[in-house]
Amino acid sequence: MTSAATLPPRCATGRCATSRHAAGPCRTARRAVYLLQFNSTAFADAFRDDCSIGATAGHPLAGVADTDLDESWSGGGKVADTSSYVFTEAKPYGAAQARQAYLVAGATVALIVQSRKGSGGTPRVPFHQTVILQNQLLG
């Protein structure tokens, strides 16, 4: 899980506009959606480029050594004029596995983070569903 202190300085003011959580009780999984609203699409694109989002997962999350592009992401739920960049923590995981995604829709950049403690890791399908739903909300 990340906090405002681990986000780039420009991200600190856009801290956690909304959160997602499991419908049932789950003590080991954590999910968060951070929304950054810029004055224009050009600023959102510049932020994405400055953070190297797409080629990499941008700034590393706290407690995550390395991330890889999520090869299982097929871009489902694609909405016109949006971009999605989905990453998963590289093996070996620490105490928890993390997944993260960036969505760019107009002047808004969203960072979606999900982590889960334990050897099972973070389930791929629920994370992808969260990315698809957030993409539809932003688009």
Side-chain angles (χ1 to χ4, degrees):
M1 186 71 184
T2 188
S3 67
T6 60
L7 292 172
R10 287 185 254 171
C11 296
T13 57
R15 187 166 191 304
C16 200
T18 183
S19 293
R20 303 272 184 228
H21 57 83
C26 183
R27 305 280 186 239
T28 59
R30 300 182 67 156
R31 294 178 191 95
V33 178
Y34 299 90
L35 299 176
L36 303 170
Q37 180 104 39
F38 294 92
N39 290 333
S40 71
T41 302
F43 285 113
D45 290 341
F47 175 82
R48 182 196 61 212
D49 295 342
D50 288 348
C51 294
S52 300
I53 297 168
T56 68
H59 296 279
L61 298 174
V64 175
D66 192 25
T67 55
D68 293 328
L69 189 65
D70 187 345
E71 298 291 337
S72 66
W73 173 247
S74 63
K78 178 72 174 141
V79 176
D81 301 321
T82 65
S83 301
S84 58
Y85 309 93
V86 181
F87 301 90
T88 187
E89 183 176 0
K91 292 181 180 180
Y93 314 127
Q97 180 199 11
R99 292 183 184 269
Q100 71 186 80
Y102 289 92
L103 303 175
V104 180
T108 303
V109 176
L111 168 61
I112 303 169
V113 179
Q114 180 174 326
S115 64
R116 182 174 184 209
K117 294 180 183 176
S119 61
T122 304
R124 176 181 52 87
V125 173
F127 180 71
H128 286 181
Q129 289 173 338
T130 300
V131 173
I132 290 168
L133 292 172
Q134 190 64 43
N135 194 22
Q136 291 172 345
L137 288 170
L138 290 174

